[in-house]
Short mmCIF file of all heavy atoms in Angstrom, two decimals:
data_model
loop_
_atom_site.label_atom_id
_atom_site.label_comp_id
_atom_site.label_asym_id
_atom_site.label_seq_id
_atom_site.Cartn_x
_atom_site.Cartn_y
_atom_site.Cartn_z
N PRO B 31 -190.63 109.82 -33.46
CA PRO B 31 -190.98 109.07 -34.64
C PRO B 31 -191.13 107.60 -34.28
O PRO B 31 -190.20 106.98 -33.78
CB PRO B 31 -189.85 109.32 -35.64
CG PRO B 31 -189.23 110.59 -35.15
CD PRO B 31 -189.40 110.61 -33.70
N GLY B 32 -192.25 106.99 -34.59
CA GLY B 32 -192.40 105.56 -34.37
C GLY B 32 -192.88 105.19 -32.94
O GLY B 32 -193.13 104.03 -32.70
N ALA B 33 -193.03 106.18 -32.08
CA ALA B 33 -193.45 105.91 -30.70
C ALA B 33 -194.86 105.31 -30.65
O ALA B 33 -195.16 104.44 -29.83
CB ALA B 33 -193.30 107.09 -29.84
N ASN B 34 -195.74 105.89 -31.49
CA ASN B 34 -197.16 105.41 -31.48
C ASN B 34 -197.48 104.70 -32.75
O ASN B 34 -198.66 104.40 -33.02
CB ASN B 34 -198.07 106.64 -31.27
CG ASN B 34 -197.93 107.28 -29.89
OD1 ASN B 34 -197.85 106.57 -28.95
ND2 ASN B 34 -197.77 108.57 -29.89
N SER B 35 -196.50 104.43 -33.57
CA SER B 35 -196.72 103.72 -34.83
C SER B 35 -195.46 102.91 -35.14
O SER B 35 -194.56 102.81 -34.33
CB SER B 35 -196.95 104.76 -35.95
OG SER B 35 -195.88 105.63 -36.05
N ASP B 36 -195.44 102.29 -36.29
CA ASP B 36 -194.27 101.54 -36.72
C ASP B 36 -193.03 102.35 -36.83
O ASP B 36 -193.07 103.51 -37.28
CB ASP B 36 -194.53 100.78 -38.01
CG ASP B 36 -195.52 99.67 -37.88
OD1 ASP B 36 -195.84 99.30 -36.73
OD2 ASP B 36 -195.99 99.19 -38.91
N ILE B 37 -191.93 101.80 -36.45
CA ILE B 37 -190.60 102.38 -36.68
C ILE B 37 -190.16 101.89 -38.06
O ILE B 37 -190.12 100.73 -38.36
CB ILE B 37 -189.52 101.97 -35.60
CG1 ILE B 37 -189.97 102.63 -34.30
CG2 ILE B 37 -188.14 102.42 -35.98
CD1 ILE B 37 -189.09 102.17 -33.11
N ARG B 38 -189.81 102.82 -38.88
CA ARG B 38 -189.45 102.59 -40.29
C ARG B 38 -187.94 102.47 -40.46
O ARG B 38 -187.25 103.42 -40.12
CB ARG B 38 -190.04 103.64 -41.20
CG ARG B 38 -191.57 103.75 -41.08
CD ARG B 38 -192.08 105.04 -41.69
NE ARG B 38 -191.50 106.22 -40.98
CZ ARG B 38 -191.73 107.49 -41.33
NH1 ARG B 38 -192.49 107.76 -42.38
NH2 ARG B 38 -191.16 108.48 -40.63
N VAL B 39 -187.50 101.34 -40.91
CA VAL B 39 -186.03 101.05 -40.92
C VAL B 39 -185.55 100.78 -42.33
O VAL B 39 -186.23 100.19 -43.15
CB VAL B 39 -185.75 99.76 -40.04
CG1 VAL B 39 -184.28 99.35 -40.19
CG2 VAL B 39 -186.11 100.01 -38.61
N ALA B 40 -184.34 101.31 -42.62
CA ALA B 40 -183.63 101.02 -43.91
C ALA B 40 -182.42 100.21 -43.56
O ALA B 40 -181.71 100.49 -42.59
CB ALA B 40 -183.22 102.32 -44.57
N VAL B 41 -182.16 99.21 -44.35
CA VAL B 41 -180.94 98.34 -44.18
C VAL B 41 -179.98 98.74 -45.29
O VAL B 41 -180.31 98.68 -46.49
CB VAL B 41 -181.31 96.89 -44.23
CG1 VAL B 41 -180.04 96.01 -44.08
CG2 VAL B 41 -182.26 96.53 -43.11
N ILE B 42 -178.72 99.03 -44.92
CA ILE B 42 -177.71 99.47 -45.85
C ILE B 42 -176.60 98.41 -45.89
O ILE B 42 -175.95 98.11 -44.88
CB ILE B 42 -177.10 100.82 -45.40
CG1 ILE B 42 -178.22 101.86 -45.25
CG2 ILE B 42 -176.03 101.28 -46.41
CD1 ILE B 42 -177.71 103.15 -44.60
N GLY B 43 -176.41 97.80 -47.08
CA GLY B 43 -175.37 96.82 -47.21
C GLY B 43 -175.83 95.45 -46.74
O GLY B 43 -175.87 95.22 -45.48
N PHE B 44 -176.19 94.54 -47.64
CA PHE B 44 -176.79 93.26 -47.17
C PHE B 44 -176.38 92.10 -48.05
O PHE B 44 -177.17 91.17 -48.32
CB PHE B 44 -178.28 93.36 -47.03
CG PHE B 44 -178.99 93.89 -48.27
CD1 PHE B 44 -179.52 93.05 -49.20
CD2 PHE B 44 -179.16 95.28 -48.45
CE1 PHE B 44 -180.14 93.54 -50.34
CE2 PHE B 44 -179.78 95.75 -49.57
CZ PHE B 44 -180.26 94.88 -50.52
N ASN B 45 -175.12 92.11 -48.52
CA ASN B 45 -174.68 91.00 -49.29
C ASN B 45 -174.26 89.86 -48.41
O ASN B 45 -174.16 88.69 -48.86
CB ASN B 45 -173.44 91.43 -50.11
CG ASN B 45 -173.05 90.38 -51.19
OD1 ASN B 45 -173.91 89.82 -51.85
ND2 ASN B 45 -171.79 90.10 -51.33
N SER B 46 -174.05 90.11 -47.16
CA SER B 46 -173.66 89.07 -46.18
C SER B 46 -174.39 89.27 -44.88
O SER B 46 -175.55 88.94 -44.72
CB SER B 46 -172.15 89.07 -45.99
OG SER B 46 -171.73 88.01 -45.10
N ARG B 47 -173.70 89.84 -43.90
CA ARG B 47 -174.26 90.09 -42.54
C ARG B 47 -175.55 90.88 -42.59
O ARG B 47 -176.48 90.68 -41.71
CB ARG B 47 -173.23 90.74 -41.69
CG ARG B 47 -173.67 91.27 -40.30
CD ARG B 47 -174.16 90.13 -39.43
NE ARG B 47 -174.54 90.63 -38.10
CZ ARG B 47 -175.26 89.95 -37.21
NH1 ARG B 47 -175.70 88.74 -37.52
NH2 ARG B 47 -175.52 90.49 -36.05
N GLY B 48 -175.74 91.73 -43.58
CA GLY B 48 -176.93 92.57 -43.65
C GLY B 48 -178.22 91.76 -43.82
O GLY B 48 -179.28 92.27 -43.47
N ASN B 49 -178.11 90.55 -44.33
CA ASN B 49 -179.30 89.71 -44.38
C ASN B 49 -179.78 89.35 -42.98
O ASN B 49 -181.03 89.25 -42.80
CB ASN B 49 -178.97 88.43 -45.15
CG ASN B 49 -178.81 88.67 -46.66
OD1 ASN B 49 -179.74 89.30 -47.27
ND2 ASN B 49 -177.79 88.22 -47.23
N ASP B 50 -178.87 89.22 -41.98
CA ASP B 50 -179.31 88.99 -40.62
C ASP B 50 -180.00 90.26 -40.10
O ASP B 50 -180.91 90.18 -39.27
CB ASP B 50 -178.10 88.70 -39.79
CG ASP B 50 -177.47 87.38 -40.17
OD1 ASP B 50 -178.19 86.44 -40.62
OD2 ASP B 50 -176.23 87.26 -40.05
N HIS B 51 -179.61 91.47 -40.56
CA HIS B 51 -180.30 92.69 -40.17
C HIS B 51 -181.75 92.65 -40.65
O HIS B 51 -182.63 93.04 -39.92
CB HIS B 51 -179.55 93.89 -40.69
CG HIS B 51 -178.27 94.21 -40.03
ND1 HIS B 51 -177.80 95.49 -39.85
CD2 HIS B 51 -177.30 93.37 -39.51
CE1 HIS B 51 -176.60 95.46 -39.26
NE2 HIS B 51 -176.28 94.22 -39.04
N ILE B 52 -181.91 92.26 -41.88
CA ILE B 52 -183.24 92.22 -42.44
C ILE B 52 -184.16 91.23 -41.64
O ILE B 52 -185.22 91.63 -41.20
CB ILE B 52 -183.18 91.82 -43.92
CG1 ILE B 52 -182.50 92.87 -44.78
CG2 ILE B 52 -184.59 91.50 -44.47
CD1 ILE B 52 -182.28 92.52 -46.19
N SER B 53 -183.60 90.04 -41.42
CA SER B 53 -184.46 89.06 -40.65
C SER B 53 -184.62 89.54 -39.21
O SER B 53 -185.72 89.32 -38.61
CB SER B 53 -183.81 87.68 -40.71
OG SER B 53 -182.51 87.70 -40.14
N GLY B 54 -183.60 90.14 -38.64
CA GLY B 54 -183.67 90.60 -37.26
C GLY B 54 -184.73 91.74 -37.10
O GLY B 54 -185.49 91.76 -36.12
N MET B 55 -184.72 92.65 -38.05
CA MET B 55 -185.69 93.74 -37.99
C MET B 55 -187.11 93.21 -38.26
O MET B 55 -188.09 93.69 -37.63
CB MET B 55 -185.34 94.79 -39.05
CG MET B 55 -184.15 95.64 -38.66
SD MET B 55 -184.51 96.67 -37.23
CE MET B 55 -183.20 96.17 -36.11
N LEU B 56 -187.27 92.28 -39.16
CA LEU B 56 -188.62 91.72 -39.42
C LEU B 56 -189.13 91.03 -38.20
O LEU B 56 -190.39 90.90 -38.03
CB LEU B 56 -188.54 90.76 -40.61
CG LEU B 56 -188.32 91.37 -42.01
CD1 LEU B 56 -188.16 90.24 -43.01
CD2 LEU B 56 -189.40 92.31 -42.35
N ALA B 57 -188.28 90.50 -37.36
CA ALA B 57 -188.73 89.82 -36.14
C ALA B 57 -189.13 90.76 -35.02
O ALA B 57 -189.70 90.31 -34.02
CB ALA B 57 -187.59 88.88 -35.66
N CYS B 58 -188.85 92.06 -35.16
CA CYS B 58 -189.14 93.00 -34.09
C CYS B 58 -190.53 93.57 -34.31
O CYS B 58 -190.90 93.99 -35.41
CB CYS B 58 -188.16 94.17 -34.11
SG CYS B 58 -186.47 93.75 -33.67
N ARG B 59 -191.32 93.53 -33.23
CA ARG B 59 -192.68 94.02 -33.29
C ARG B 59 -192.68 95.55 -33.55
O ARG B 59 -191.87 96.27 -32.99
CB ARG B 59 -193.44 93.74 -32.02
CG ARG B 59 -193.73 92.24 -31.74
CD ARG B 59 -194.48 91.99 -30.47
NE ARG B 59 -195.77 92.60 -30.55
CZ ARG B 59 -196.67 92.58 -29.54
NH1 ARG B 59 -196.30 91.99 -28.43
NH2 ARG B 59 -197.86 93.15 -29.68
N GLY B 60 -193.62 96.01 -34.34
CA GLY B 60 -193.74 97.44 -34.55
C GLY B 60 -192.65 98.03 -35.45
O GLY B 60 -192.37 99.21 -35.37
N VAL B 61 -192.05 97.14 -36.28
CA VAL B 61 -190.94 97.63 -37.16
C VAL B 61 -191.33 97.27 -38.58
O VAL B 61 -191.79 96.14 -38.90
CB VAL B 61 -189.58 97.00 -36.80
CG1 VAL B 61 -188.55 97.30 -37.85
CG2 VAL B 61 -189.12 97.49 -35.46
N ARG B 62 -191.14 98.21 -39.53
CA ARG B 62 -191.27 97.99 -40.91
C ARG B 62 -190.02 98.32 -41.66
O ARG B 62 -189.44 99.37 -41.38
CB ARG B 62 -192.44 98.79 -41.54
CG ARG B 62 -193.85 98.30 -41.22
CD ARG B 62 -194.88 99.08 -42.08
NE ARG B 62 -194.97 100.46 -41.70
CZ ARG B 62 -194.76 101.49 -42.51
NH1 ARG B 62 -194.42 101.21 -43.79
NH2 ARG B 62 -194.90 102.70 -42.12
N ILE B 63 -189.59 97.46 -42.56
CA ILE B 63 -188.40 97.80 -43.42
C ILE B 63 -189.01 98.54 -44.57
O ILE B 63 -189.83 97.99 -45.37
CB ILE B 63 -187.69 96.56 -43.85
CG1 ILE B 63 -187.01 95.88 -42.65
CG2 ILE B 63 -186.61 96.92 -44.89
CD1 ILE B 63 -186.25 94.61 -42.98
N THR B 64 -188.61 99.77 -44.75
CA THR B 64 -189.17 100.60 -45.83
C THR B 64 -188.18 100.92 -47.00
O THR B 64 -188.58 101.43 -48.00
CB THR B 64 -189.64 101.99 -45.23
OG1 THR B 64 -188.58 102.60 -44.54
CG2 THR B 64 -190.82 101.76 -44.27
N ALA B 65 -186.91 100.60 -46.72
CA ALA B 65 -185.94 100.88 -47.77
C ALA B 65 -184.73 99.92 -47.68
O ALA B 65 -184.39 99.47 -46.56
CB ALA B 65 -185.46 102.34 -47.69
N LEU B 66 -184.10 99.75 -48.80
CA LEU B 66 -182.87 98.98 -48.87
C LEU B 66 -181.84 99.80 -49.68
O LEU B 66 -182.25 100.50 -50.59
CB LEU B 66 -183.06 97.61 -49.55
CG LEU B 66 -183.92 96.55 -48.87
CD1 LEU B 66 -184.07 95.31 -49.75
CD2 LEU B 66 -183.37 96.20 -47.51
N CYS B 67 -180.58 99.63 -49.31
CA CYS B 67 -179.53 100.39 -50.03
C CYS B 67 -178.30 99.50 -50.16
O CYS B 67 -177.85 98.86 -49.22
CB CYS B 67 -179.13 101.63 -49.27
SG CYS B 67 -177.83 102.66 -50.04
N ASP B 68 -177.80 99.39 -51.39
CA ASP B 68 -176.60 98.63 -51.66
C ASP B 68 -176.00 99.13 -53.00
O ASP B 68 -176.78 99.45 -53.95
CB ASP B 68 -176.88 97.14 -51.73
CG ASP B 68 -175.57 96.31 -51.56
OD1 ASP B 68 -174.74 96.30 -52.46
OD2 ASP B 68 -175.41 95.69 -50.46
N VAL B 69 -174.70 99.22 -53.11
CA VAL B 69 -174.06 99.72 -54.31
C VAL B 69 -174.03 98.65 -55.40
O VAL B 69 -173.66 98.93 -56.56
CB VAL B 69 -172.64 100.23 -54.06
CG1 VAL B 69 -172.68 101.37 -53.07
CG2 VAL B 69 -171.71 99.09 -53.55
N ASP B 70 -174.43 97.39 -55.08
CA ASP B 70 -174.43 96.32 -56.05
C ASP B 70 -175.87 96.15 -56.57
O ASP B 70 -176.71 95.74 -55.73
CB ASP B 70 -173.91 95.05 -55.42
CG ASP B 70 -173.75 93.90 -56.42
OD1 ASP B 70 -174.57 93.82 -57.33
OD2 ASP B 70 -172.80 93.07 -56.21
#
Side-chain angles (χ1 to χ4, degrees):
N34 295 312
S35 59
D36 287 347
I37 293 175
R38 301 164 300 176
V39 174
V41 179
I42 304 171
F44 52 93
N45 192 43
S46 181
R47 171 64 176 163
N49 286 309
D50 296 326
H51 287 214
I52 293 173
S53 59
M55 285 294 124
L56 289 176
C58 292
R59 294 181 63 182
V61 171
R62 282 189 296 121
I63 296 178
T64 55
L66 295 176
C67 180
D68 199 288
V69 299
D70 188 326

